[in-house]
């Protein structure tokens, strides 16, 4: 059985060699045949040079390098496309995903699980981030069809058929957490203690996280559109009830001097609600816009895997 390990790397020069040693040591200990698929996501540091060096020294390492930063989703997709293993493990290059857990994953895989998901605890996270994450997952699980679990990320093992299923989903706006959950198959989850990043720093800023969260919310169904519709109906009925009340009062007590503050508040609030709704619709239109363009998810500038493959060629045709 061949195990592929897919590693998206963005500006990871400080830790890459250590990562490679740790993983290869661990795999040697487990005694499995394996290959590493490094994807350099347009790093601006020496990541590519390091990958070239690592690959020259170790034939089990393959790499490809993007022409610019396309994001981790694209990097994972590229890695999955080029992974030949019977099982594929996706892990971060920053050693926050302990290589020691691969053995556990392989065990669970041998027990017949198609996805073995490592779920990190939130130990060591800032309290604000923990609370925000809790609230987000509470909300999102009420809104989307697929199940998303807090602490569950991209660190997981996928069986060959799961990888093939994920590769069938060719959408441009990729939200992997949801895609992995969407394909189904037999999945199991185990917890591990989160390791603090040793070197470099997380590429996730608050803004990026917020946008990522929104993507998750909007990527799976049209429930936000539904919600907008219901909210509109609710506001309409409130307005109608209020109008009836005003007219009633005016008929009984005569016309009162109307408060312009109330008026102003209602008008601005409604304008705000309308803008939010247009925004929601706009998000979907924007997604359609990107999908219909059918642009490739990434462009490859360097690789030791042979000719860069056509992004839209179905995976089945590519495998030897
Ligand atoms: N990464 C990537 N492209 C990006 C940002 C990150 O390939 O645009 C990689 C990064 O090199 C790392 C993994 O994705 O291997 C997770 O990134 P990071 O550690 O910054 O995220 P966090 O651990 O904070 O979620
Ligand atoms: Mg990290």
């Amino acid at each position: 059985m061949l195990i592929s390990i897919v590693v998206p790397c963005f500006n990871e020069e400080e830790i890459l060699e250590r990562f490679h040693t740790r993983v290869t040591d661990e795999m040697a200990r487990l005694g499995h045949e394996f290959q590493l698929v490094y994807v350099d996501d347009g790093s601006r540091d020496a990541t590519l040079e390091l990958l070239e060096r690592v690959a020259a020294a170790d034939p089990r390492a393959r790499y490809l390098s993007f022409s610019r930063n396309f994001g981790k989703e694209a990097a994972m997709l590229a890695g999955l496309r080029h992974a030949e293993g019977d099982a594929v493990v996706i892990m971060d290059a920053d050693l926050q995903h302990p290589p020691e857990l691969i053995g556990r994953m392989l065990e669970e895989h041998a027990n017949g699980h198609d996805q073995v998901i490592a779920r990190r605890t939130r130990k060591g996270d800032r309290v604000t981030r923990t609370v925000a994450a809790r609230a987000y997952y509470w909300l999102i699980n009420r809104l989307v069809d697929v199940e998303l679990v807090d602490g569950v990320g991209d660190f997981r093992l996928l069986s060959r058929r799961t990888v093939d299923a994920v590769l069938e989903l060719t959408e441009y706006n990729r939200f992997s957490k949801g895609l992995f959950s969407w394909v189904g198959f037999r999945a199991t989850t185990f917890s591990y203690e989160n390791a603090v990043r040793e070197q470099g720093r997380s590429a996730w800023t608050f803004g990026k996280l917020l946008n990522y969260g929104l993507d998750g919310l909007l990527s799976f169904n049209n429930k936000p559109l539904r919600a907008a519709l219901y909210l509109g109906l609710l506001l309409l009925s409130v307005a109608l009830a209020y109008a009836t009340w005003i007219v009633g009062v005016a008929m009984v007590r005569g016309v009162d001097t109307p408060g312009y503050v109330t008026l102003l508040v209602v008008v601005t609030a409604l304008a705000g609600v309308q803008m939010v709704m247009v925004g929601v619709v706009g998000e979907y239109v924007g997604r359609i816009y990107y999908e219909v363009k059918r642009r490739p998810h990434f462009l490859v500038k360097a690789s030791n895997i042979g000719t860069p493959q056509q992004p839209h060629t179905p995976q089945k045709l590519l495998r030897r």
Side-chain angles (χ1 to χ4, degrees):
M1 200 169 95
L2 176 71
I3 313 292
S4 297
I5 300 170
V6 168
V7 192
C9 316
F10 178 57
N11 295 343
E12 302 285 5
E13 60 176 7
E14 284 152 331
I15 205 158
L16 206 70
E17 278 172 319
R18 197 134 52 89
F19 171 87
H20 188 75
T21 320
R22 281 274 297 277
V23 171
T24 44
D25 285 355
E26 182 62 21
M27 290 310 288
R29 206 179 60 79
L30 293 170
H32 269 286
E33 203 193 328
F34 71 99
Q35 65 175 189
L36 279 143
V37 185
Y38 288 105
V39 183
D40 165 35
D41 184 13
S43 299
R44 284 179 279 268
D45 63 2
T47 300
L48 176 57
E49 288 77 60
L50 280 176
L51 285 180
E52 284 164 350
R53 209 184 317 151
V54 164
D58 187 343
R60 295 164 303 189
R62 24 172 65 199
Y63 69 88
L64 56 150
S65 176
F66 288 175
S67 62
R68 63 168 171 85
N69 181 245
F70 281 90
K72 190 186 174 188
E73 296 288 345
M76 285 193 294
L77 176 69
L80 289 178
R81 278 196 186 143
H82 290 92
E84 300 167 313
D86 304 298
V88 179
V89 176
I90 305 174
M91 60 195 297
D92 286 0
D94 57 9
L95 286 175
Q96 279 187 304
H97 296 164
E100 294 71 44
L101 295 177
I102 297 176
R104 170 111 185 245
M105 289 181 163
L106 291 172
E107 257 167 52
E108 297 281 4
H109 177 56
N111 290 339
H113 289 107
D114 287 286
Q115 289 198 46
V116 188
I117 306 158
R119 174 174 193 243
R120 75 186 188 101
T121 60
R122 290 218 166 258
K123 212 179 138 228
D125 265 18
R126 254 183 292 148
V127 187
T128 41
R129 198 166 157 184
T130 312
V131 172
R134 287 254 168 78
Y136 172 70
Y137 282 99
W138 180 85
L139 180 73
I140 199 166
N141 278 312
R142 264 150 199 82
L143 288 177
V144 302
D145 303 324
V146 293
E147 207 204 341
L148 299 174
V149 184
D150 186 13
V152 161
D154 304 312
F155 185 26
R156 59 181 75 210
L157 176 145
L158 305 173
S159 66
R160 177 41 47 193
R161 61 174 177 172
T162 315
V163 173
D164 289 345
V166 169
L167 289 175
E168 295 269 324
L169 310 177
T170 54
E171 60 212 72
Y172 189 79
N173 298 285
R174 298 186 79 77
F175 186 74
S176 289
K177 274 191 204 193
L179 296 182
F180 293 145
S181 168
W182 187 89
V183 297
F185 295 113
R186 288 193 61 196
T188 178
T189 306
F190 67 85
S191 290
Y192 71 98
E193 200 151 291
N194 185 35
V196 181
R197 205 178 215 284
E198 289 180 32
Q199 229 109 65
R201 60 194 188 89
S202 170
W204 289 98
T205 57
F206 177 74
K208 269 195 186 179
L209 270 179
L210 195 69
N211 278 324
Y212 184 69
L214 260 184
D215 276 346
L217 206 63
L218 295 167
S219 291
F220 278 87
N221 60 21
N222 61 358
K223 274 195 193 158
L225 286 174
R226 260 300 141 76
L229 194 68
Y230 282 128
L231 184 62
L233 285 176
L234 180 76
L235 280 175
L236 189 64
S237 31
V238 170
L240 279 179
Y242 185 63
T244 320
W245 185 68
I246 291 284
V247 171
V249 170
M251 286 206 300
V252 177
R253 283 203 257 145
V255 179
D256 210 7
T257 321
Y260 76 87
V261 176
T262 324
L263 203 69
L264 215 67
V265 169
V266 169
V267 168
T268 43
L270 280 183
V273 168
Q274 275 172 356
M275 275 192 205
V276 170
M277 288 185 185
V278 172
V280 171
V281 176
E283 277 291 333
Y284 284 95
V285 176
R287 265 145 224 279
I288 297 168
Y289 173 70
Y290 278 108
E291 296 297 339
V292 294
K293 283 201 214 201
R294 295 190 58 79
R295 288 201 177 150
H297 294 87
F298 53 82
L299 295 171
V300 176
K301 111 183 132 184
S303 166
N304 71 342
I305 310 180
T307 52
Q309 289 157 346
Q310 283 297 306
H312 280 298
T313 313
Q315 179 70 12
K316 284 187 196 99
L317 298 177
L318 295 178
R319 210 164 313 114
R320 282 138 263 176

